[in-house]
Structure formats: C-alpha cells, structure tokens
Amino acid sequence: MKEIYDKMAIEAMNAQKAVVSTINRKRGTAFKVEDAKPYVDAVNKMEPKGDQCKEVFDLHVNSVNTHFETLSRLTDSVKPEDDPYVEHYQTPPILDILYEEDPAFRESVEKFIDRIGRSEALIGKESIRRYAGFYGPTCVVDFAFVPGSTSNVVNRILQKTDIPVDHKRAILSSKSWGMNTSYGVGAKFQMAIENGKTPAEAVKEEVEMLQMVYDAPMAAQAKLMDEAGHTSFDVKKYMSQYKQKMKPTIKAAMDADVFYGNIVTVPAYGVGDVAHHISQSMFNMTKDDVVMAVINAVTDVMDGTMKNAMGKFKDEYSPLTIATDAAAAATTKILWMDGFTTMMVLDLLVKRYHNLVLNNPTRGAAAELHNVDFIDLIEKGERIIDHKPRGMGGMVQGIPVDLSPIEKNEVLNNPQRYTYPACAITVRFSALMRLADFPCLLTSEPVTATMLTNIIALHKTEPHSPARTCKFCAANYFDYKCKYCNWTEAV
C-alpha cells in the first residue's frame, strides 16, 4: 500500500505543477483552450495500482480528455465571465445516463422531486435566510455540510423521502462534488424578490427551479447559462457530445458496482483546470508578480513537504491531509509576513460580507464562497504553524512542513520592489486578497481532485461526497451557526 500512497502524491503534484507551470509561461497573454494540454497530459499519466478500481480512474481520465476535446471542437477560447461554469456541464449528462440505464434510480429521483414540491416551508425559510445573509459568509455549493448550503437543504428534504438510502446518497452527491448544474439554493428566490415578485411567488419559482435541476439537469443548465449571458460556446452541444462520448465509461462504472454517488462526482472535479484554473481570468490575475509568487511558493512548499513524506504516509488519506495542510501552512506563513493574523482577516471578511449584503442585495448566490474557502484555509494554516501547545509547531502527521521555498522566494522577500519602497508593509497581503477570490491553486483543487480519485478507487462502493465531517468553519468564530449544520444527520 505504501507504493500506492507515494503514487498518489506523485500524481497529485504532477497535476498541480502542470497547471502552475502553464500559468507561469502564459500569464498576461490571451488564453486558448489548447494552453491546458500540459494538464491533460499529466492526467493521462494517472493509473490504478494494486486494488484500485480501473473504472474509477477511467471516470476521471476519460472525463478530462472528453472535456478538453469537446471544448476544443466548440471554441478556441473562453471568456472570463464564462469560465467558472466549465466544471458544471459534466454531472447533468451523467445523471441523464443513470436515469436511462437504471429506471429504479429515476423513479427515486421522481419521488425526491415530488418531495421538493411539498417542502415549500423549508425551501422558503432557507432561501430567505440566504438572501438576508442570516448565516453570514457561507458556501452555497460547498463540498461539505455547512449552514446555508444547497447540500444542507437537499439533505433535509431527502430525510423525508421514502427511497433507498444509496439513491439518497447519490442524489446528495450530485449537488456536492458532483456539480449538477450551476444552481445554488435561494438564487431564484432572490432574483424574484428583487424583480418585484411577492414572497409567495418567489418561493414558487425557487421550488420549480430546484425540481428542474433534478428532473431535467441538462435543460436546467442550458437555461441557467442563457440567463447568465453565456456566449463562449454552445453549452447544449457540449453536454450532448460529452454525454455521447462518456456513456460507455459510465456504463462500465455501473457494471463494476461503483457507487452512483462516486459516478456523479469523479468526472466533474478534474475538468476545471481546463479553461477555469488555466484560463483568461487566471492569466489576468497572475500578471501581478506577487500573486504569481504566492502561487509558486505555496506549490513549492507542498512539493517539498510531500517529498519529505514519501514512504511515510500512514494510510490512503494521509497524502491528501499532508498536501492540503502544507498549502494552508504556507498561505498563513505569507500572511504573517506582513503582520496580519488569521483573526484579523476573519474579522475583516465577515464584516465586509454583512456590508456587502446591505449594499448589494442582487449579489451572486455564490459570491462569498471562495472567501470562505480562503478563511478556512488560513485558519487551518495558523493551527499548523503556530508554536506548541497553541499549534502544531509546523508539523503535519509527524512530517515537518517545508517552508523554505517561501523564505527563499525572491519576490516575496522583496516587497519593496512592488510598491512605494519605504512603505512596503501590505504588498503580500494585497496579493493574498486577490487570491481570496480565486484560491483554487492554494487549497489546491488539482491536488484534491487527483487524491480523491485515488481514494475512491480504493473504496468504490462507499459515499465520499459531501464530506461527512465537521468542516471547522472559520467564519463560525463570528457568526456562530453550528446548530444550523446537519453533517451528523447525513443520509
């Protein structure tokens, strides 16, 4: 098994380095879909080992290739406003395939849709709370249970739906790591209220949209993209072609008894590096040398720490923990360099969120989700790098986090070159605030996606999304909302 753990680390870091090296080369230029080819090449080196399920790896690898090839046929580029959605076109076609191949699952989904229609009170309450900012900053489409999230609401409705538990878990997974459309709970309600509808009318629209997301996911995603003004490529053609190409892979996974929740999850979370993490928005953001230096330094800390851990991973979850903890420690280390603490940033971003609600009631339903990812990241990082007994003294599972890439980074150690030289005390912090809106390579999504495919391949019949654990929400320090979470009641 130790060979598998080491392989996981190598595959994950290969994915991260493929993305980051591409951004280093192409930042500041015009994005082309073909720019993502190095990442696709890294993914194609992923392979099962030992008891790992080949069909799970096929879900990941074939999806990334299908995504890249389909996108390349439809467009040569994607505008920044459209790139967040590129990882939302996979789960809808996959659900359609499951509906066609398994009538019993489709029947369960129809019962769930009916239950949505009889859950107006719950949906209305949760929509109002999201609209009003009741829960504070939260992740409407988080990969773990948090108050105010879509998973939280879906879970409560599923608890009252009389269908097999595995079907409940698959439906729940499809709106978690499986990104079944771009929809987040409360969005239609918010839009209707701001357009002058009554609360009753707004709840009706919300219920109907949630039902459509599960009843006709491909049509729902196309409708959402029309409303968002998507123009980069024909999303209907994309989903139709993706469905046709991926159908044999999905059927093979079904025949191999891969849990449906994993089938709807694995294909979606690896494709975002093509035209989202490697994208025009990323190339624009990283024109700033300090922003690029942060990404490079955090990646190097992860890489160095993982190399130190080779042969010492405790189990299949250990590489994921060490990699993500090392990245968190690195990010917090950079924050500390400008004299900021995690609590300062939590206070700032939580207060800012509540003012944003007042000043921008038409804000996007997912507006603050990456700020939440960022504050969760740095809070975890502070616990790791703080001295004992307050923290872990820079150790993760007995492995020292290698922070030397930060200490040796020419840009990060010379902030005076990027502002008024005598007053360079917030340069690194300002770069981190740019990344607080787009922290995908700090958290890191390429690493997490690669690791989770490896883990799921060892446990193909078990549900892996959303995470059935307390996420230790950092925003909870100010908006205490634990009693509104339901991870302990996950279906």
Side-chain angles (χ1 to χ4, degrees):
M1 289 297 288
K2 285 189 178 295
E3 290 181 3
I4 292 178
Y5 306 155
D6 287 353
K7 178 193 78 83
M8 290 172 61
I10 292 167
E11 289 179 345
M13 290 313 305
N14 283 346
Q16 174 80 4
K17 287 189 278 191
V19 174
V20 173
S21 63
T22 299
I23 296 167
N24 273 290
R25 278 197 324 275
K26 302 293 295 188
R27 67 191 183 109
T29 68
F31 166 73
K32 301 294 181 185
V33 174
E34 64 188 20
D35 293 336
K37 184 67 164 53
Y39 170 74
V40 179
D41 292 341
V43 169
N44 283 328
K45 293 177 182 176
M46 292 173 61
E47 58 183 6
K49 190 178 183 67
D51 293 333
Q52 288 185 314
C53 175
K54 176 183 181 297
E55 287 78 8
V56 170
F57 273 81
D58 288 345
L59 287 170
H60 186 128
V61 175
N62 292 354
S63 180
V64 169
N65 281 283
T66 300
H67 171 66
F68 179 68
E69 292 161 8
T70 304
L71 210 53
S72 297
R73 283 194 298 268
L74 295 173
T75 185
D76 64 349
S77 189
V78 178
K79 68 179 184 180
E81 292 80 5
D82 293 343
D83 81 51
Y85 306 116
V86 299
E87 55 194 4
H88 302 166
Y89 303 121
Q90 296 76 40
T91 305
I94 290 168
L95 278 173
D96 263 11
I97 295 169
L98 292 176
Y99 293 170
E100 292 164 3
E101 297 297 319
D102 188 347
F105 179 60
R106 172 66 198 188
E107 184 181 346
S108 289
V109 171
E110 288 174 358
K111 289 181 180 179
F112 172 64
I113 292 167
D114 177 69
R115 175 56 68 175
I116 291 174
R118 290 185 283 138
S119 303
E120 297 96 334
L122 170 64
I123 292 168
K125 179 176 71 175
E126 293 300 318
S127 297
I128 289 167
R129 285 178 168 181
R130 282 285 307 165
Y131 173 51
F134 176 87
Y135 292 116
T138 189
C139 288
V140 69
V141 287
D142 200 11
F143 295 174
F145 286 96
V146 294
S149 71
T150 302
S151 295
N152 195 298
V153 177
V154 169
N155 189 59
R156 294 188 193 281
I157 297 172
L158 284 167
Q159 287 170 346
K160 296 182 178 180
T161 307
D162 185 18
I163 57 176
V165 67
D166 277 356
H167 288 176
K168 291 184 179 184
R169 289 171 173 171
I171 291 168
L172 182 62
S173 290
S174 74
K175 202 69 189 80
S176 174
W177 289 343
M179 289 166 272
N180 177 21
T181 80
S182 303
Y183 194 69
V185 70
K188 278 290 178 186
F189 177 91
Q190 174 183 345
M191 191 184 306
I193 289 291
E194 287 299 315
N195 287 336
K197 301 284 183 67
T198 67
E201 291 170 327
V203 172
K204 183 174 183 292
E205 289 191 21
E206 179 68 30
V207 168
E208 289 174 351
M209 188 68 227
L210 284 172
Q211 289 178 314
M212 186 181 186
V213 163
Y214 292 95
D215 184 32
M218 288 173 63
Q221 180 62 7
K223 171 183 168 68
L224 290 165
M225 292 301 93
D226 283 345
E227 292 173 352
H230 185 289
T231 59
S232 293
F233 56 91
D234 188 324
V235 301
K236 291 180 182 177
K237 282 186 179 178
Y238 175 99
M239 288 187 284
S240 175
Q241 292 175 19
Y242 179 90
K243 177 181 176 181
Q244 182 181 13
K245 190 77 180 290
M246 282 295 292
K247 193 166 188 174
T249 303
I250 303 306
K251 290 177 71 174
M254 295 172 72
D255 292 341
D257 296 323
V258 178
F259 173 59
Y260 284 5
N262 296 328
I263 291 176
V264 297
T265 294
V266 174
Y269 59 26
V271 304
D273 294 282
V274 179
H276 178 34
H277 305 150
I278 299 174
S279 65
Q280 191 63 66
S281 58
M282 180 64 80
F283 291 178
N284 291 344
M285 181 176 72
T286 53
K287 281 190 289 189
D288 182 280
D289 289 350
V290 186
V291 171
M292 190 72 249
V294 171
I295 294 173
N296 283 331
V298 171
T299 297
D300 290 344
V301 168
M302 264 197 293
D303 192 38
T305 305
M306 294 300 273
K307 285 175 179 173
N308 291 339
M310 296 292 272
K312 303 171 188 173
F313 297 116
K314 297 177 180 178
D315 54 35
E316 61 267 41
Y317 302 97
S318 182
L320 176 60
T321 298
I322 292 173
T324 53
D325 282 9
T331 307
T332 305
K333 165 75 171 177
I334 296 168
L335 181 74
W336 280 12
M337 290 170 79
D338 275 349
F340 286 90
T341 66
T342 291
M343 198 55 67
M344 292 178 193
V345 179
L346 297 186
D347 186 51
L348 173 68
L349 293 182
V350 171
K351 285 178 178 174
R352 174 274 181 97
Y353 168 75
H354 288 289
N355 205 43
L356 182 69
V357 171
L358 295 172
N359 283 282
N360 188 12
T362 60
R363 69 198 184 279
E368 78 275 15
L369 77 84
H370 272 322
N371 271 196
V372 171
D373 289 341
F374 183 79
I375 61 178
D376 288 348
L377 179 77
I378 60 172
E379 202 282 332
K380 178 169 70 171
E382 188 154 286
R383 294 200 306 272
I384 294 164
I385 66 172
D386 209 346
H387 63 82
K388 294 182 178 181
R390 285 176 55 87
M392 296 160 63
M395 304 284 287
V396 180
Q397 294 189 357
I399 305 296
V401 177
D402 180 11
L403 295 172
S404 64
I406 296 173
E407 294 157 359
K408 296 174 183 176
N409 188 283
E410 183 77 10
V411 174
L412 294 181
N413 286 281
N414 289 282
Q416 75 280 359
R417 297 173 184 170
Y418 303 94
T419 188
Y420 182 75
C423 302
I425 62 172
T426 52
V427 174
R428 291 166 291 220
F429 175 74
S430 65
L432 288 173
M433 288 300 95
R434 290 288 296 282
L435 288 158
D437 290 347
F438 198 173
C440 303
L441 297 179
L442 306 183
T443 45
S444 143
E445 291 184 21
V447 168
T448 303
T450 306
M451 294 280 196
L452 283 166
T453 290
N454 274 275
I455 292 168
I456 290 170
L458 290 167
H459 308 283
K460 65 180 183 180
T461 61
E462 298 174 16
H464 289 84
S465 70
R468 286 157 166 77
T469 184
C470 172
K471 185 166 98 73
F472 211 86
C473 306
N476 228 27
Y477 285 115
F478 296 102
D479 293 312
Y480 193 73
K481 52 200 172 189
C482 276
K483 67 179 180 179
Y484 300 110
C485 191
N486 61 0
W487 74 267
T488 58
E489 307 156 34
V491 293

